[in-house]
Amino acid sequence: FNKLPHYATHQLGVAGAVLDVNAGKVLVVQDQNKTTNVWKFPGGLSEPGEDIGNTAIREVFEETGIKAEFKSLLCIRQQHRHPGAFGKSDMYIICRLKPSSFNISFCQQECLRCEWMDLAELAKAKDTTPITANVARLLLYGYKEGFDKIDLTMREFPAIYTGLFYKLYHKELPEDYRNITDV
Amino acid sequence: FNKLPHYATHQLGVAGAVLDVNAGKVLVVQDQNKTTNVWKFPGGLSEPGEDIGNTAIREVFEETGIKAEFKSLLCIRQQHRHPGAFGKSDMYIICRLKPSSFNISFCQQECLRCEWMDLAELAKAKDTTPITANVARLLLYGYKEGFDKIDLTMREFPAIYTGLFYKLYHKELPEDYRNITDV
């Protein structure tokens, strides 16, 4: 048995789906310099040592000027032979964020357009990517029937050998399962 | 705005929680050569270009001799400065697998012990890692109240620019949200 490869095989991209629950609107952008203009969630590559939620918050702010806080993790995509990843694989995560500011001031180098779009409109939009439309539907499901239906929430745990901590994301566990003694 | 770093920052580890729903038992191993003997799910590092579910299936088979099929993704862990990752970050995913064989023939180089353990027993075990106990509780929740409560299911999508496909994992979306025309 070969324990190799012990090296990094994936780049990590993170996007933020910033949902204003009062208005039912979500923050979307169109990239500069693309042949087709499609709406998508702002996001970008994770920096070394950066937590998933912090990448989403940073990228959303850099692209749109909107401040937001981390709520949950919504989906994970794995793609091999990603064109921008130099033969490596790409892991891409979309987080649900809650806005704490609302006035858009978008980065003109990166974005062609940026707006708060009605969530139901994005869920059925044609000028978007398949993943964006799909996550918009997921968000709409959570918005209408409760975010517990779609959220992976975060818990922090001690790493057993190192004394470090790590973050674990999964479906919320009901209280009576969290502190099990006998079921 | 700096679009760098455009390189791989994460190694990806994947474990398989192989649950025999008829017996209510889950496959666990103890690593060789550890100072403390703790029960955990078999798993290991993803090979370049390998899908998450296939890493879980391969690692489970290599370590335990058990054949299994992919059912869902259960949790994601992100850890920085991982000791085995040479300063890179570590992404670790646990999948739910369904066994298609049951006779254990474990790898003596990697494993000290391997057994089918009662799921409820693992959920309250002391001689395990925090993540294993937590995922055992999550599995127990799904086992008792429906796996739809805990599963991230997989869908395949076309990548918009490249013609390639990618796999997306998230909570199952009800049929009426999947093909939205007007909500």
Side-chain angles (χ1 to χ4, degrees), chain B residues 116-163:
Chain B
W116 289 104
M117 187 183 285
D118 191 82
L119 179 57
E121 191 187 322
L122 183 64
K124 54 185 173 172
K126 300 281 181 217
D127 55 344
T128 185
T129 66
I131 190 174
T132 306
N134 197 68
V135 170
R137 288 165 199 158
L138 193 66
L139 266 178
L140 192 63
Y141 173 46
Y143 180 60
K144 289 189 176 256
E145 307 195 17
F147 290 116
D148 62 300
K149 294 275 200 295
I150 62 167
D151 282 346
L152 302 192
T153 53
M154 190 268 283
R155 293 186 68 193
E156 207 161 35
F157 283 89
I160 192 162
Y161 299 120
T162 61

Side-chain angles (χ1 to χ4, degrees), chain B residues 70-97:
Chain B
F70 177 80
K71 297 303 284 184
S72 75
L73 203 149
L74 292 175
C75 69
I76 299 108
R77 181 191 74 184
Q78 189 187 34
Q79 189 176 21
H80 305 300
R81 305 178 303 279
H82 189 265
F86 297 101
K88 298 286 184 171
S89 296
D90 178 79
M91 190 80 79
Y92 181 71
I93 290 176
I94 301 181
C95 298
R96 183 166 73 83
L97 303 185

Side-chain angles (χ1 to χ4, degrees), chain A residues 1-12 31 34-36 38 45-53 58-59 62-63 73-86 88-89 91-93 107 109-110 120 123-124 128-132 134-135 137-142 144-145 148-152 155 157-162 164-174 176-183, chain B residues 1-12 31 34-36 38 45-53 58-59 62-63 73-86 88-89 91-93 107 109-110 120 123-124 128-132 134-135 137-142 144-145 148-152 155 157-162 164-174 176-183:
Chain A
F1 178 81
N2 187 355
K3 283 205 168 200
L4 294 172
H6 270 210
Y7 52 78
T9 51
H10 286 69
Q11 68 174 24
L12 175 64
D31 283 342
K34 295 284 181 188
T35 46
T36 348
V38 292
L45 290 174
S46 193
E47 291 179 356
E50 188 177 47
D51 277 348
I52 293 165
R58 177 180 55 74
E59 286 285 344
E62 288 178 359
E63 289 190 26
L73 203 150
L74 292 174
C75 70
I76 300 107
R77 180 191 75 184
Q78 190 187 33
Q79 188 176 23
H80 305 299
R81 304 179 303 280
H82 190 264
F86 296 101
K88 298 286 185 171
S89 296
M91 191 81 81
Y92 180 71
I93 290 176
C107 171
Q109 275 127 304
E110 279 196 90
K124 54 185 174 172
T128 186
T129 67
I131 189 173
T132 306
N134 197 68
V135 171
R137 287 165 199 157
L138 193 66
L139 266 179
L140 192 63
Y141 173 44
K144 289 188 177 257
E145 308 195 16
D148 62 301
K149 293 275 201 295
I150 62 167
D151 282 347
L152 302 191
R155 291 186 70 191
F157 283 89
I160 192 162
Y161 298 120
T162 60
L164 299 172
F165 283 80
Y166 57 75
K167 292 194 163 83
L168 187 69
Y169 305 84
H170 57 68
K171 277 287 296 179
E172 189 65 89
L173 197 57
D176 52 333
Y177 284 91
R178 239 180 278 174
N179 301 301
I180 269 177
T181 49
D182 203 73
V183 182
Chain B
F1 179 81
N2 188 355
K3 283 205 168 200
L4 293 171
H6 271 210
Y7 51 79
T9 52
H10 286 69
Q11 68 174 23
L12 175 64
D31 283 343
K34 295 283 181 188
T35 45
T36 348
V38 291
L45 290 175
S46 193
E47 291 178 356
E50 188 177 47
D51 277 348
I52 294 166
R58 177 180 54 73
E59 286 285 344
E62 287 177 0
E63 288 189 27
L73 203 149
L74 292 175
C75 69
I76 299 108
R77 181 191 74 184
Q78 189 187 34
Q79 189 176 21
H80 305 300
R81 305 178 303 279
H82 189 265
F86 297 101
K88 298 286 184 171
S89 296
M91 190 80 79
Y92 181 71
I93 290 176
C107 172
Q109 274 128 304
E110 278 196 273
K124 54 185 173 172
T128 185
T129 66
I131 190 174
T132 306
N134 197 68
V135 170
R137 288 165 199 158
L138 193 66
L139 266 178
L140 192 63
Y141 173 46
K144 289 189 176 256
E145 307 195 17
D148 62 300
K149 294 275 200 295
I150 62 167
D151 282 346
L152 302 192
R155 293 186 68 193
F157 283 89
I160 192 162
Y161 299 120
T162 61
L164 299 171
F165 283 80
Y166 57 75
K167 293 194 163 84
L168 187 69
Y169 305 84
H170 58 68
K171 277 286 298 177
E172 189 66 89
L173 196 57
D176 51 334
Y177 283 92
R178 237 179 281 173
N179 300 302
I180 271 178
T181 48
D182 202 74
V183 181

